[in-house]
Amino acid sequence: MNDLRRDVGALRKGELIGGLVWLALFFFGAHFALRRVAPLLGIDLNQIGAFVSVNLIFDAVNAAVLCTLLFRFLKDQLRRLQDRGWALFPDLLLGWLVNYGLSLLVSLVISVLLVIFSVESYQNLNQEAAELLISAAPQAAIASACILAPLAEELSFRGVLFCGLYPRSRILAYAVSMLAFSLLHVLSAIPYQPVSITLINLLVYLPAGYALAWIYERSGSIWSAVFLHAALNAISLLLQGLDL
């Protein structure tokens, strides 16, 4: 497999440790802690205003901390992007096609699983929350989905996990980063739905997880993944806004 490897850059030991600690504390701890702390602070997350504000603050803090922790890494990745030049645009197109093709395949698999598990009412709570955010606060939705979330999530899953594991195992880097990325998007819904639905929803985000890691590996710059992530979210916002 070594002949398939590309130069994706490297994290310093302090950057990797800091990123992993923050990832564990924030992504996989904050979601559950927030549910407990919010009522104590008088915050009702079922109210749309509170939901929008907390979601925006959540993404802003996450992006700010990760950019601070990985500032040197980001600068190096920007240089790599500049070296890539105009090749970035076919990279983005190919990344979108990879995501689109895999998404069609996963949709077919999900349809089969829904029949096997005899699921009559299927829902993706993360998707429903996104649609609620779009309808209630479109500006906040754009800021979160197209700027803050792509930057924070790419630094976390492709920067810390994929880049951190890549020198040791290319396959493991793909598998772990994809699974963690998918898990993030279903975490908040776990207490409110059957395990079978959670597992099915995990599949929904695997195509994007693969495409984003793939374009990072292909281009050698995490900024390509950030831009593709922002583009995918922007397209999703547009389609949902048009009720397509």
Side-chain angles (χ1 to χ4, degrees):
M1 298 293 291
N2 289 334
D3 58 326
L4 297 177
R5 292 182 183 276
R6 297 181 184 236
D7 181 10
V8 298
L11 291 166
R12 292 176 178 171
K13 186 176 181 180
E15 294 172 333
L16 179 58
I17 293 175
L20 287 173
V21 170
W22 179 253
L23 181 62
L25 290 177
F26 195 76
F27 272 119
F28 301 113
H31 282 277
F32 294 105
L34 185 61
R35 294 288 176 181
R36 295 181 177 272
V37 174
L40 299 177
L41 298 176
I43 300 174
D44 184 1
L45 294 178
N46 293 318
Q47 296 295 322
I48 186 60
F51 174 78
V52 170
S53 299
V54 169
N55 186 74
L56 199 58
I57 293 172
F58 191 93
D59 287 338
V61 170
N62 192 26
V65 171
L66 284 168
C67 285
T68 301
L69 287 173
L70 304 179
F71 182 72
R72 181 211 60 85
F73 176 75
L74 277 174
K75 285 181 61 179
D76 176 64
Q77 295 291 310
L78 182 59
R79 176 189 59 77
R80 291 165 173 271
L81 181 69
Q82 293 171 336
D83 292 342
R84 191 70 179 164
W86 290 101
L88 169 65
F89 295 100
D91 285 346
L92 292 175
L93 178 58
L94 285 172
W96 179 82
L97 289 173
V98 168
N99 175 71
Y100 182 71
L102 290 176
S103 294
L104 291 178
L105 178 60
V106 166
S107 295
L108 178 61
V109 172
I110 289 176
S111 298
V112 173
L113 290 176
L114 292 177
V115 174
I116 293 175
F117 287 110
S118 301
V119 177
E120 297 180 358
S121 179
Y122 168 70
Q123 59 181 164
N124 185 330
L125 294 181
N126 181 73
Q127 189 67 27
E128 292 179 7
E131 292 173 357
L132 178 63
L133 183 60
I134 294 168
S135 61
Q139 295 86 356
I142 292 172
S144 178
C146 299
I147 301 174
L148 298 175
L151 183 57
E153 291 178 16
E154 291 315 304
L155 283 176
S156 297
F157 301 111
R158 259 60 65 179
V160 175
L161 293 182
F162 184 81
C163 182
L165 290 171
Y166 194 81
R168 296 166 178 79
S169 170
R170 180 173 179 264
I171 294 177
L172 187 62
Y174 268 97
V176 172
S177 63
M178 289 169 60
L179 181 59
F181 178 72
S182 294
L183 185 59
L184 168 72
H185 291 84
V186 302
L187 267 179
S188 60
I190 288 177
Y192 309 106
Q193 61 189 15
V195 175
S196 58
I197 298 299
T198 298
L199 293 176
I200 289 173
N201 283 335
L202 272 174
L203 299 176
V204 173
Y205 302 98
L206 290 178
Y210 178 84
L212 292 165
W214 179 85
I215 195 175
Y216 174 25
E217 181 185 32
R218 175 183 174 84
S219 68
S221 174
I222 199 171
W223 285 103
S224 297
V226 173
F227 293 150
L228 177 60
H229 195 153
L232 292 176
N233 284 356
I235 293 171
S236 177
L237 287 178
L238 178 62
L239 294 179
Q240 291 176 39
L242 295 174
D243 293 325
L244 295 179

